[in-house]
């Protein structure tokens, strides 16, 4: 079972005092990274919200955006006057009105104070914040469940794509094996013919030349690479069907090994047909590697 790291979830909750809305987005990351954007009144809930995310998600960058709208049916705000600021404004105005000889300066002071919105600070009541916690956590649970569901659905699409590409690689590997056996016979015949020419010319074939011929023959043998690729493909598919959800790093490592083995085959086999098959295989591996980056 695999999950995609790319998904999103969004939900709202209507309460007696208004509407809560939460949006959660996740993208691929090597490790888990959780970022939250909460109204300042609810910042104290941030650690608990992140713990909930960590229980549901193992890899990826997760962004949460929480907003709320009040319906005005409940008194949830308290107003706090900024008396120190008001006193300073009055002091300054008294100096100005005295210096300029302004009569009925209190009228000007009243207008001046009315224009400064920072004199009254609105804050959510602590009792409201505490009572809203359960509703916020309920919304977080619901939205995370939506996110996890989408990650699983996207994971199923990825799994189908991986399985299809594994089948393609198995087909290409079989073609390479069939072509390589014929190419190996052809290379052996050429070597025999060349050695025969040297013997006919009564040229000495020393021990070093024989060793070089043996090394050349060994270098063109792809039996080990073929076996390892088969093993990697089987392991890749086994991991795909594993119940463990956190398999992205394992699949990434297997993909790297697959690409390495195909590169080795490409360097050993110089005939055009095998080279063409290797290019196709490497293309499939690259597409798998790109998609693996999205697996949790």
């Amino acid at each position: 079972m695999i999950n995609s790291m790319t998904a999103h979830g969004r939900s709202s909750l209507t309460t007696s005092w208004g509407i809560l809305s939460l949006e959660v987005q996740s993208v691929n990351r090597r490790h888990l990274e959780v970022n939250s954007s909460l109204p300042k009144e609810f910042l104290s809930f941030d650690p608990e919200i992140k713990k909930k995310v960590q229980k549901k998600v193992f890899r990826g960058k997760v962004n949460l955006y929480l907003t709320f709208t009040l319906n005005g049916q409940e008194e949830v705000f308290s107003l706090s006057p900024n008396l120190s600021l008001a006193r300073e404004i009055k002091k300054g105005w008294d100096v100005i009105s005295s210096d300029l000889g302004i009569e009925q300066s209190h009228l000007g002071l009243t207008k001046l104070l009315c224009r400064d919105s920072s004199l009254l600070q609105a804050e959510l009541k602590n009792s409201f914040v505490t009572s809203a916690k359960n509703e916020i956590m309920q919304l977080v649970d619901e939205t995370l469940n939506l996110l996890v569901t989408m990650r699983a659905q996207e994971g199923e699409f990825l799994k189908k794509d991986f399985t299809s590409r594994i089948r393609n690689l198995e087909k290409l590997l079989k073609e390479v094996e069939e072509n390589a056996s014929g190419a190996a016979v052809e290379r052996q015949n050429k070597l025999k013919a060349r050695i025969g020419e040297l013997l006919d010319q009564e040229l000495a074939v020393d021990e070093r030349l024989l060793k070089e011929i043996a090394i050349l023959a060994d270098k063109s043998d792809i039996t080990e690479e073929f076996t390892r690729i088969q093993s990697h493909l089987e392991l890749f598919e086994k991991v795909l069907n594993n119940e463990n959800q956190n398999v992205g790093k394992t699949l990434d490592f297997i993909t790297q090994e697959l690409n390495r083995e195909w590169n080795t085959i490409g360097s050993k086999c110089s005939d055009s047909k095998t080279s063409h098959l290797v290019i196709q295989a490497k293309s499939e591996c690259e597409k798998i590697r790109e998609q693996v980056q999205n697996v949790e």
Side-chain angles (χ1 to χ4, degrees):
M1 177 180 180
I2 65 171
N3 289 328
S4 170
M5 285 190 282
T6 305
H8 72 276
R10 182 171 185 165
S11 55
S12 299
L13 180 64
T14 301
T15 70
S16 61
W17 49 266
I19 299 175
L20 274 170
S21 297
L22 179 64
E23 183 173 0
V24 184
Q25 300 173 341
S26 68
V27 294
N28 60 333
R29 276 293 187 280
R30 187 173 182 83
H31 304 289
L32 179 61
E33 179 185 336
V34 184
N35 299 313
S36 58
S37 176
L38 308 178
K40 64 178 182 178
E41 295 82 4
F42 300 140
L43 286 177
S44 60
F45 305 149
D46 186 66
E48 188 171 344
I49 291 174
K50 287 182 177 178
K51 284 182 180 179
K52 284 182 175 290
V53 176
Q54 291 165 0
K55 290 180 180 179
K56 300 275 189 180
V57 179
F58 304 103
R59 288 182 71 202
K61 180 180 180 181
V62 181
N63 296 317
L64 298 95
Y65 305 93
L66 178 67
T67 58
F68 70 97
T69 304
L70 299 174
N71 56 21
Q73 295 181 7
E74 291 189 18
E75 293 184 4
V76 299
F77 280 105
S78 62
L79 293 177
S80 302
N82 192 338
L83 295 178
S84 60
L85 176 61
R87 292 189 187 100
E88 291 301 315
I89 291 175
K90 184 178 182 304
K91 269 187 201 178
W93 176 248
D94 286 344
V95 171
I96 293 173
S97 59
S98 174
D99 185 74
L100 298 179
I102 298 175
E103 296 181 0
Q104 296 183 327
S105 63
H106 65 280
L107 297 178
L109 177 61
T110 301
K111 292 180 180 179
L112 190 62
L113 291 173
C114 289
R115 292 178 61 183
D116 198 324
S117 59
S118 59
L119 287 172
L120 289 174
Q121 297 177 344
E123 295 181 352
L124 288 175
K125 293 180 179 179
N126 290 332
S127 58
F128 164 73
V129 174
T130 302
S131 64
K133 180 179 179 180
N134 289 337
E135 293 165 323
I136 291 173
M137 294 306 165
Q138 177 188 338
L139 182 63
V140 170
D141 287 335
E142 291 177 1
T143 312
L144 284 178
N145 286 337
L146 290 175
L147 180 78
V148 169
T149 299
M150 178 171 282
R151 284 163 71 98
Q153 291 172 346
E154 293 295 321
E156 282 299 311
F157 289 123
L158 288 175
K159 182 178 178 180
K160 290 178 182 178
D161 183 69
F162 289 143
T163 302
S164 173
R165 297 192 187 282
I166 291 298
R167 296 287 89 82
N168 289 342
L169 286 173
E170 289 174 342
K171 181 181 176 182
L172 289 168
L173 185 62
K174 186 176 180 180
E175 291 183 47
V176 167
E177 183 187 27
E178 293 172 352
N179 184 69
S181 60
V185 172
E186 184 178 346
R187 281 193 298 271
Q188 290 174 3
N189 291 335
K190 285 183 178 179
L191 280 173
K192 288 179 181 178
R194 182 56 180 155
I195 293 171
E197 289 176 8
L198 292 173
L199 292 174
D200 289 342
Q201 297 173 18
E202 296 183 352
L203 296 175
V205 181
D206 59 15
E207 185 178 351
R208 187 177 62 181
L209 178 57
L210 292 174
K211 285 183 179 179
E212 298 241 352
I213 292 171
I215 291 172
L216 180 61
D218 182 64
K219 282 184 176 180
S220 63
D221 183 15
I222 61 170
T223 303
E224 289 185 12
E225 287 76 20
F226 180 83
T227 302
R228 282 196 288 266
I229 289 176
Q230 276 188 319
S231 176
H232 293 331
L233 292 175
E234 290 172 4
L235 180 58
F236 193 100
E237 199 155 15
K238 183 179 178 180
V239 173
L240 275 183
N241 295 292
N242 197 316
E243 288 300 319
N244 185 8
Q245 296 179 342
N246 191 10
V247 297
K249 292 180 182 178
T250 302
L251 293 177
D252 188 28
F253 177 75
I254 297 172
T255 306
Q256 292 178 40
E257 292 301 308
L258 276 171
N259 195 60
R260 185 177 291 111
E261 298 299 338
W262 282 109
N263 278 332
T264 304
I265 290 177
S267 64
K268 283 187 174 184
C269 303
S270 57
D271 63 283
S272 59
K273 184 175 181 180
T274 300
S275 297
H276 181 65
L277 292 171
V278 168
I279 290 172
Q280 292 181 63
K282 288 173 66 176
S283 176
E284 289 291 332
C285 287
E286 179 60 23
K287 291 172 183 176
I288 290 175
R289 190 195 67 80
E290 291 175 358
Q291 293 284 44
V292 161
Q293 304 309 310
N294 287 323
V295 176
E296 185 176 47

